[in-house]
mmCIF file of all heavy atoms in Angstrom:
data_model
loop_
_atom_site.group_PDB
_atom_site.id
_atom_site.type_symbol
_atom_site.label_atom_id
_atom_site.label_comp_id
_atom_site.label_asym_id
_atom_site.label_seq_id
_atom_site.Cartn_x
_atom_site.Cartn_y
_atom_site.Cartn_z
ATOM 1 N N ARG H 15 -5.274 12.717 31.083
ATOM 2 C CA ARG H 15 -5.043 14.160 31.055
ATOM 3 C C ARG H 15 -3.694 14.491 31.671
ATOM 4 O O ARG H 15 -3.336 13.967 32.717
ATOM 5 C CB ARG H 15 -6.165 14.852 31.822
ATOM 6 C CG ARG H 15 -6.185 16.357 31.737
ATOM 7 C CD ARG H 15 -7.549 16.860 32.189
ATOM 8 N NE ARG H 15 -7.916 16.275 33.475
ATOM 9 C CZ ARG H 15 -7.944 16.944 34.614
ATOM 10 N NH1 ARG H 15 -7.587 18.217 34.638
ATOM 11 N NH2 ARG H 15 -8.313 16.362 35.734
ATOM 12 N N GLY H 16 -2.941 15.339 30.982
ATOM 13 C CA GLY H 16 -1.643 15.752 31.489
ATOM 14 C C GLY H 16 -0.466 14.990 30.891
ATOM 15 O O GLY H 16 0.680 15.421 31.014
ATOM 16 N N GLN H 17 -0.766 13.862 30.233
ATOM 17 C CA GLN H 17 0.300 13.082 29.608
ATOM 18 C C GLN H 17 0.647 13.664 28.233
ATOM 19 O O GLN H 17 -0.134 14.402 27.626
ATOM 20 C CB GLN H 17 -0.144 11.623 29.438
ATOM 21 C CG GLN H 17 -0.432 10.910 30.755
ATOM 22 C CD GLN H 17 0.821 10.777 31.598
ATOM 23 O OE1 GLN H 17 1.821 10.230 31.149
ATOM 24 N NE2 GLN H 17 0.788 11.289 32.830
ATOM 25 N N ASN H 18 1.837 13.307 27.762
ATOM 26 C CA ASN H 18 2.268 13.701 26.421
ATOM 27 C C ASN H 18 2.009 12.557 25.452
ATOM 28 O O ASN H 18 2.125 11.386 25.821
ATOM 29 C CB ASN H 18 3.762 14.036 26.416
ATOM 30 C CG ASN H 18 4.115 15.178 27.341
ATOM 31 O OD1 ASN H 18 3.260 15.958 27.757
ATOM 32 N ND2 ASN H 18 5.386 15.275 27.682
ATOM 33 N N VAL H 19 1.656 12.901 24.230
ATOM 34 C CA VAL H 19 1.459 11.889 23.190
ATOM 35 C C VAL H 19 2.166 12.335 21.920
ATOM 36 O O VAL H 19 2.335 13.532 21.674
ATOM 37 C CB VAL H 19 -0.031 11.644 22.884
ATOM 38 C CG1 VAL H 19 -0.740 11.037 24.091
ATOM 39 C CG2 VAL H 19 -0.729 12.916 22.437
ATOM 40 N N THR H 20 2.558 11.358 21.132
ATOM 41 C CA THR H 20 3.208 11.634 19.847
ATOM 42 C C THR H 20 2.616 10.749 18.776
ATOM 43 O O THR H 20 2.457 9.544 18.984
ATOM 44 C CB THR H 20 4.729 11.390 19.928
ATOM 45 O OG1 THR H 20 5.285 12.241 20.921
ATOM 46 C CG2 THR H 20 5.394 11.701 18.592
ATOM 47 N N PHE H 21 2.290 11.348 17.647
ATOM 48 C CA PHE H 21 1.747 10.624 16.510
ATOM 49 C C PHE H 21 2.731 10.706 15.347
ATOM 50 O O PHE H 21 3.438 11.700 15.194
ATOM 51 C CB PHE H 21 0.408 11.219 16.051
ATOM 52 C CG PHE H 21 -0.578 11.431 17.153
ATOM 53 C CD1 PHE H 21 -1.354 12.576 17.180
ATOM 54 C CD2 PHE H 21 -0.751 10.495 18.170
ATOM 55 C CE1 PHE H 21 -2.287 12.782 18.187
ATOM 56 C CE2 PHE H 21 -1.669 10.696 19.171
ATOM 57 C CZ PHE H 21 -2.433 11.852 19.186
ATOM 58 N N ARG H 22 2.682 9.695 14.509
ATOM 59 C CA ARG H 22 3.562 9.670 13.353
ATOM 60 C C ARG H 22 2.771 9.599 12.070
ATOM 61 O O ARG H 22 1.727 8.933 11.997
ATOM 62 C CB ARG H 22 4.503 8.469 13.434
ATOM 63 C CG ARG H 22 5.383 8.305 12.191
ATOM 64 C CD ARG H 22 6.377 7.201 12.326
ATOM 65 N NE ARG H 22 7.046 6.936 11.047
ATOM 66 C CZ ARG H 22 8.357 6.799 10.920
ATOM 67 N NH1 ARG H 22 9.164 6.886 11.972
ATOM 68 N NH2 ARG H 22 8.883 6.553 9.733
ATOM 69 N N CYS H 23 3.277 10.259 11.033
ATOM 70 C CA CYS H 23 2.672 10.217 9.704
ATOM 71 C C CYS H 23 3.764 9.910 8.682
ATOM 72 O O CYS H 23 4.813 10.575 8.658
ATOM 73 C CB CYS H 23 2.014 11.549 9.358
ATOM 74 S SG CYS H 23 1.468 11.670 7.640
ATOM 75 N N ASP H 24 3.510 8.939 7.843
ATOM 76 C CA ASP H 24 4.378 8.643 6.704
ATOM 77 C C ASP H 24 3.639 9.003 5.424
ATOM 78 O O ASP H 24 2.628 8.370 5.097
ATOM 79 C CB ASP H 24 4.786 7.169 6.690
ATOM 80 C CG ASP H 24 5.776 6.843 7.792
ATOM 81 O OD1 ASP H 24 5.338 6.518 8.912
ATOM 82 O OD2 ASP H 24 6.987 6.938 7.517
ATOM 83 N N PRO H 25 4.099 10.003 4.706
ATOM 84 C CA PRO H 25 3.378 10.453 3.511
ATOM 85 C C PRO H 25 3.620 9.522 2.331
ATOM 86 O O PRO H 25 4.426 8.593 2.405
ATOM 87 C CB PRO H 25 4.000 11.820 3.251
ATOM 88 C CG PRO H 25 5.409 11.678 3.727
ATOM 89 C CD PRO H 25 5.326 10.775 4.935
ATOM 90 N N ILE H 26 2.913 9.802 1.262
ATOM 91 C CA ILE H 26 3.168 9.089 0.015
ATOM 92 C C ILE H 26 4.585 9.437 -0.450
ATOM 93 O O ILE H 26 4.999 10.601 -0.376
ATOM 94 C CB ILE H 26 2.116 9.475 -1.044
ATOM 95 C CG1 ILE H 26 0.732 8.974 -0.597
ATOM 96 C CG2 ILE H 26 2.488 8.936 -2.418
ATOM 97 C CD1 ILE H 26 -0.415 9.469 -1.445
ATOM 98 N N SER H 27 5.277 8.434 -0.889
ATOM 99 C CA SER H 27 6.661 8.617 -1.299
ATOM 100 C C SER H 27 6.776 9.719 -2.351
ATOM 101 O O SER H 27 5.970 9.801 -3.269
ATOM 102 C CB SER H 27 7.192 7.302 -1.871
ATOM 103 O OG SER H 27 8.524 7.441 -2.296
ATOM 104 N N GLU H 28 7.749 10.580 -2.151
ATOM 105 C CA GLU H 28 8.053 11.685 -3.064
ATOM 106 C C GLU H 28 7.069 12.852 -2.981
ATOM 107 O O GLU H 28 7.211 13.817 -3.734
ATOM 108 C CB GLU H 28 8.166 11.190 -4.508
ATOM 109 C CG GLU H 28 9.303 10.193 -4.691
ATOM 110 C CD GLU H 28 9.435 9.714 -6.113
ATOM 111 O OE1 GLU H 28 8.622 10.089 -6.964
ATOM 112 O OE2 GLU H 28 10.374 8.945 -6.367
ATOM 113 N N HIS H 29 6.092 12.764 -2.105
ATOM 114 C CA HIS H 29 5.251 13.934 -1.848
ATOM 115 C C HIS H 29 6.027 14.863 -0.927
ATOM 116 O O HIS H 29 6.397 14.482 0.179
ATOM 117 C CB HIS H 29 3.930 13.535 -1.192
ATOM 118 C CG HIS H 29 2.914 13.071 -2.166
ATOM 119 N ND1 HIS H 29 1.582 12.930 -1.826
ATOM 120 C CD2 HIS H 29 2.999 12.736 -3.466
ATOM 121 C CE1 HIS H 29 0.908 12.528 -2.887
ATOM 122 N NE2 HIS H 29 1.749 12.393 -3.893
ATOM 123 N N ASN H 30 6.231 16.097 -1.354
ATOM 124 C CA ASN H 30 7.063 16.958 -0.517
ATOM 125 C C ASN H 30 6.255 17.860 0.411
ATOM 126 O O ASN H 30 6.807 18.550 1.242
ATOM 127 C CB ASN H 30 8.055 17.765 -1.356
ATOM 128 C CG ASN H 30 7.369 18.627 -2.381
ATOM 129 O OD1 ASN H 30 6.166 18.787 -2.374
ATOM 130 N ND2 ASN H 30 8.152 19.197 -3.275
ATOM 131 N N ARG H 31 4.932 17.840 0.267
ATOM 132 C CA ARG H 31 4.103 18.602 1.204
ATOM 133 C C ARG H 31 3.370 17.662 2.146
ATOM 134 O O ARG H 31 2.839 16.634 1.706
ATOM 135 C CB ARG H 31 3.119 19.492 0.462
ATOM 136 C CG ARG H 31 3.804 20.654 -0.232
ATOM 137 C CD ARG H 31 2.836 21.721 -0.645
ATOM 138 N NE ARG H 31 3.547 22.864 -1.218
ATOM 139 C CZ ARG H 31 2.974 23.970 -1.620
ATOM 140 N NH1 ARG H 31 1.650 24.095 -1.518
ATOM 141 N NH2 ARG H 31 3.682 24.946 -2.123
ATOM 142 N N LEU H 32 3.344 18.027 3.402
ATOM 143 C CA LEU H 32 2.695 17.205 4.421
ATOM 144 C C LEU H 32 1.886 18.112 5.331
ATOM 145 O O LEU H 32 2.370 19.161 5.758
ATOM 146 C CB LEU H 32 3.751 16.421 5.222
ATOM 147 C CG LEU H 32 3.249 15.391 6.232
ATOM 148 C CD1 LEU H 32 4.234 14.244 6.363
ATOM 149 C CD2 LEU H 32 2.957 16.010 7.579
ATOM 150 N N TYR H 33 0.661 17.690 5.631
ATOM 151 C CA TYR H 33 -0.294 18.518 6.369
ATOM 152 C C TYR H 33 -0.822 17.751 7.573
ATOM 153 O O TYR H 33 -1.024 16.543 7.507
ATOM 154 C CB TYR H 33 -1.495 18.870 5.478
ATOM 155 C CG TYR H 33 -1.159 19.475 4.138
ATOM 156 C CD1 TYR H 33 -0.738 18.684 3.085
ATOM 157 C CD2 TYR H 33 -1.288 20.840 3.921
ATOM 158 C CE1 TYR H 33 -0.437 19.228 1.848
ATOM 159 C CE2 TYR H 33 -1.000 21.405 2.685
ATOM 160 C CZ TYR H 33 -0.568 20.596 1.659
ATOM 161 O OH TYR H 33 -0.276 21.141 0.427
ATOM 162 N N TRP H 34 -1.104 18.502 8.630
ATOM 163 C CA TRP H 34 -1.809 17.953 9.791
ATOM 164 C C TRP H 34 -3.123 18.687 9.957
ATOM 165 O O TRP H 34 -3.188 19.919 9.865
ATOM 166 C CB TRP H 34 -0.979 18.104 11.057
ATOM 167 C CG TRP H 34 0.183 17.158 11.172
ATOM 168 C CD1 TRP H 34 1.495 17.419 10.909
ATOM 169 C CD2 TRP H 34 0.126 15.799 11.622
ATOM 170 N NE1 TRP H 34 2.259 16.306 11.153
ATOM 171 C CE2 TRP H 34 1.438 15.296 11.589
ATOM 172 C CE3 TRP H 34 -0.902 14.950 12.048
ATOM 173 C CZ2 TRP H 34 1.759 13.996 11.967
ATOM 174 C CZ3 TRP H 34 -0.588 13.655 12.414
ATOM 175 C CH2 TRP H 34 0.731 13.185 12.383
ATOM 176 N N TYR H 35 -4.177 17.888 10.240
ATOM 177 C CA TYR H 35 -5.504 18.422 10.502
ATOM 178 C C TYR H 35 -6.061 17.754 11.762
ATOM 179 O O TYR H 35 -5.641 16.668 12.136
ATOM 180 C CB TYR H 35 -6.476 18.102 9.348
ATOM 181 C CG TYR H 35 -6.165 18.776 8.037
ATOM 182 C CD1 TYR H 35 -5.215 18.249 7.165
ATOM 183 C CD2 TYR H 35 -6.840 19.932 7.655
ATOM 184 C CE1 TYR H 35 -4.939 18.860 5.963
ATOM 185 C CE2 TYR H 35 -6.575 20.555 6.442
ATOM 186 C CZ TYR H 35 -5.622 20.002 5.599
ATOM 187 O OH TYR H 35 -5.353 20.609 4.397
#
Side-chain angles (χ1 to χ4, degrees):
Chain H
R15 188 164 51 108
Q17 297 295 304
N18 300 342
V19 295
T20 300
F21 311 139
R22 175 175 171 133
C23 171
D24 288 88
I26 294 171
S27 179
E28 298 181 357
H29 278 194
N30 58 10
R31 289 195 176 183
L32 187 149
Y33 308 79
W34 286 100
Y35 294 82

